Amino acid sequence: MVNSSEREDRDLSLIEELDIPKLSDAYTLIEMKLKENYQIGMIYFHLANSLKIKEKYGPSVYHQVLKLIAQTLKSFRGKYYRSSDIVVVSDISPDYFFIFFLSPPRYKLKLSPSDIKLSAHRILRHLTEELEEKLKEAGLDFLKLEFQIGFTPIERDPNVSIERLLFEAQREAYLRSKLEDIIYDFVSSVSHELKTPLTSIKGYVETLLEGAIDDKEMAVKFLKIIAQETERLHKLITDLLDLSQMESNKLKFMFSVVNLRDVAEDAIELLSGLAEEKMIDLRLVADKPEYLVWADEERIMQTFLNLIDNAIKYTPEMGEIEVRIKERKHDVLVEVSDTGIGIPPQEIDKIFDKFYRTTISQKKAGGRGIGLSIVKKIIEAHGGEIWVESELGKGTTFFFTLPKVHPEELKSSGERSNGTPSGKG
Ligand code: ADP
């Protein structure tokens, strides 16, 4: 067994062996260049699977790989960046390499993150190509290297020490690369989500045009599917628009007196087809004909649709979904309860986070983890609360409350007989 201090010693000697300066050796130079008004960009390359390589193939292969990376990055000098640019290795972990681009003041254009990103990707591409060659020569072509890259400009700040500045830069670069990952991931999954219904719509329209339209029964069946897929597309696009408005705090609300029961009934009606397809019993439980709240009717409709649609999505065939409305002293409580797959207890806190999907639901098609984060914003904007209780494999109940309509509001809404919403929110 190697204890951790021994391992650190080895890594330190490995850093020496790599024969490129350590990050801290570059501090003075970078500080000086910043003072001389150089523009500086930083890129890092992290061999993300280095530990795996070390564990699986042993320390000597691991050393060899890191040395090859260091050599290659050094040999890129003058080819992919200026000869005066600095290549260093992290003091702490030998699998982090940094390149500092030094741009003398006479280069007028400001180094932007996208410039640095372009260089980062270009260097990474050439680095991987060159490494593949070198690994082959060394008989190590069974190795798959996984890189993580980060990039950021470094701005001078006379009040901050150079150590701190570079530490912040590393964090910035890391976050930037993470953000890129999230964006790419998001774009690719959203495109997929858009493509699936579109492909299906295209297919059915073509079949109809090719003659299926003359068979009334078949035509109705196909048109129903087309309507459903269109609805799916519409929901996704509305969610995306809401998400962007929510981020810029532009989500608008139009308040008026709303009977929650009517909204719940309409939502159930709209989704009854989907429930029937899975032979799910979807029902409303409410004693009174009216539950008046001060709300944005469309947004509350969206909330019901989201919760019921989720309940249908995450409940197996022949299950049950109950929408319950209960009047309480100051508010109205709504429960949407299903007999579905449930939510793992350790994930229940994250369920309203943007883009969060539980580990057990990820495999199911459809869904991007946007709906619930919007629903939460909607309920909170109404002064209500939302929470969830769930038992894995048994079912889930979402609860939300909305403040009961105030007599004042009832009066003022009567005065606005032209139906103009108050636009509060
Ligand atoms: P999605 O479009 O992925 O369904 P939501 O934001 O509506 O996005 O839901 C986020 C995640 O919460 C879902 O991906 C799923 O993992 C979980 N979830 C939501 N509702 C339920 C439910 N009724 N039963 C089980 N899991 C649910």
Side-chain angles (χ1 to χ4, degrees):
M1 278 292 276
V2 180
N3 67 34
S4 67
S5 72
E6 255 177 75
R7 197 162 55 219
E8 262 166 37
D9 286 349
R10 280 200 199 162
D11 277 354
L12 281 181
S13 70
L14 172 61
I15 290 176
E16 301 292 326
E17 267 179 61
L18 292 179
D19 195 28
I20 52 176
K22 285 193 295 234
L23 184 57
S24 52
D25 295 337
Y27 284 170
T28 326
L29 184 61
I30 293 170
E31 198 168 22
M32 195 176 83
K33 295 290 176 197
L34 280 173
K35 272 191 195 143
E36 288 171 12
N37 283 328
Y38 269 64
Q39 292 185 51
I40 303 190
M42 183 190 89
I43 299 178
Y44 74 72
F45 297 92
H46 174 212
L47 182 61
N49 60 338
S50 63
L51 272 184
K52 255 194 227 148
I53 293 178
K54 196 172 174 182
E55 267 165 26
K56 199 160 169 198
Y57 304 105
S60 94
V61 167
Y62 166 74
H63 286 202
Q64 221 173 329
V65 170
L66 291 183
K67 272 192 222 167
L68 284 180
I69 299 174
Q71 268 172 23
T72 314
L73 283 179
K74 271 195 292 183
S75 74
F76 279 6
R77 268 216 190 100
K79 218 154 115 195
Y80 296 106
Y81 32 87
R82 283 190 201 97
S83 323
S84 52
D85 291 348
I86 316 166
V87 182
V88 296
V89 62
S90 158
D91 302 61
I92 299 161
S93 170
D95 46 18
Y96 276 88
F97 296 89
F98 298 86
I99 298 170
F100 291 93
F101 291 89
L102 306 177
S103 202
R106 68 193 151 86
Y107 288 93
K108 282 219 181 67
L109 280 182
K110 201 165 153 45
L111 263 186
S112 70
S114 54
D115 298 330
I116 305 169
K117 177 180 143 189
L118 268 180
S119 306
H121 285 286
R122 204 166 73 124
I123 297 171
L124 181 66
R125 198 175 66 236
H126 291 285
L127 179 70
T128 6
E129 279 168 12
E130 191 125 350
L131 279 172
E132 255 168 40
E133 284 295 308
K134 288 190 172 150
L135 288 175
K136 212 185 257 169
E137 280 165 26
L140 296 173
D141 43 352
F142 52 88
L143 283 180
K144 265 244 143 306
L145 306 185
E146 286 166 26
F147 283 103
Q148 185 197 24
I149 54 174
F151 47 87
T152 185
I154 294 181
E155 307 278 348
R156 182 168 177 232
D157 183 343
N159 301 316
V160 175
S161 72
I162 186 73
E163 289 88 344
R164 182 87 216 156
L165 198 68
L166 290 186
F167 175 75
E168 295 287 339
Q170 277 177 58
R171 224 176 45 174
E172 173 80 24
Y174 173 75
L175 288 179
R176 219 188 276 280
S177 71
K178 274 275 154 248
L179 191 66
E180 292 245 310
D181 287 352
I182 292 174
I183 292 171
Y184 283 134
D185 206 42
F186 185 68
V187 169
S188 95
S189 65
V190 166
S191 327
H192 176 78
E193 211 100 323
L194 289 170
K195 200 174 161 203
T196 318
L198 268 181
T199 312
S200 153
I201 292 172
K202 189 166 174 271
Y204 283 110
V205 168
E206 279 166 8
T207 319
L208 282 169
L209 287 175
E210 277 159 16
I213 197 157
D214 298 326
D215 178 341
K216 176 117 194 272
E217 205 177 313
M218 190 134 72
V220 170
K221 193 174 143 207
F222 288 176
L223 285 171
K224 274 192 179 157
I225 300 175
I226 292 173
Q228 237 177 54
E229 297 290 358
T230 318
E231 183 53 37
R232 221 171 116 190
L233 280 177
H234 182 251
K235 182 177 177 291
L236 177 69
I237 290 166
T238 317
D239 276 1
L240 288 173
L241 283 174
D242 279 352
L243 185 75
S244 68
Q245 291 191 337
M246 198 165 87
E247 285 308 294
S248 49
N249 277 328
K250 282 192 200 133
L251 215 53
K252 296 262 184 315
F253 292 93
M254 310 272 243
F255 286 81
S256 65
V257 176
V258 173
N259 179 4
L260 264 190
R261 185 184 178 118
D262 289 345
V263 188
E265 278 173 357
D266 287 351
I268 289 176
E269 168 76 32
L270 258 172
L271 294 175
S272 60
L274 279 181
E276 266 163 34
E277 262 174 33
K278 292 177 81 178
M279 288 163 291
I280 289 175
D281 178 15
L282 168 60
R283 56 180 181 261
L284 176 71
V285 180
D287 300 336
K288 300 176 32 171
E290 266 191 346
Y291 297 85
L292 297 186
V293 290
W294 181 249
D296 179 323
E297 182 163 354
E298 252 181 58
R299 294 292 180 191
I300 296 304
M301 180 70 174
Q302 187 181 357
T303 302
F304 273 112
L305 287 177
N306 244 310
L307 295 179
I308 301 171
D309 184 46
N310 275 348
I312 298 173
K313 223 165 31 183
Y314 302 113
T315 298
E317 288 188 355
M318 313 283 280
E320 286 172 39
I321 298 170
E322 211 166 75
V323 179
R324 299 185 281 262
I325 312 183
K326 298 170 181 174
E327 194 171 82
R328 306 197 302 183
K329 195 164 174 205
H330 299 291
D331 55 20
V332 180
L333 172 69
V334 178
E335 303 176 2
V336 179
S337 182
D338 66 53
T339 56
I341 57 174
I343 298 165
Q346 67 277 16
E347 295 183 53
I348 211 147
D349 291 341
K350 304 192 194 120
I351 202 85
F352 294 103
D353 290 354
K354 251 180 303 179
F355 308 129
Y356 195 80
R357 309 198 63 209
T358 63
T359 39
I360 53 167
S361 71
Q362 276 162 7
K363 288 175 217 98
K364 286 184 89 60
R368 290 278 43 93
I370 309 175
L372 282 182
S373 64
I374 295 170
V375 161
K376 185 167 192 279
K377 284 267 171 184
I378 293 177
I379 297 302
E380 285 171 353
H382 281 76
E385 280 180 273
I386 181 159
W387 70 99
V388 59
E389 286 172 9
S390 183
E391 204 173 329
L392 205 53
K394 288 243 168 85
T396 304
T397 305
F398 280 88
F399 300 83
F400 70 86
T401 62
L402 287 172
K404 266 203 280 198
V405 80
H406 200 269
E408 285 287 300
E409 288 159 347
L410 209 50
K411 208 172 105 225
S412 70
S413 94
E415 279 161 13
R416 280 198 319 272
S417 50
N418 62 0
T420 323
S422 76
K424 147 172 120 178

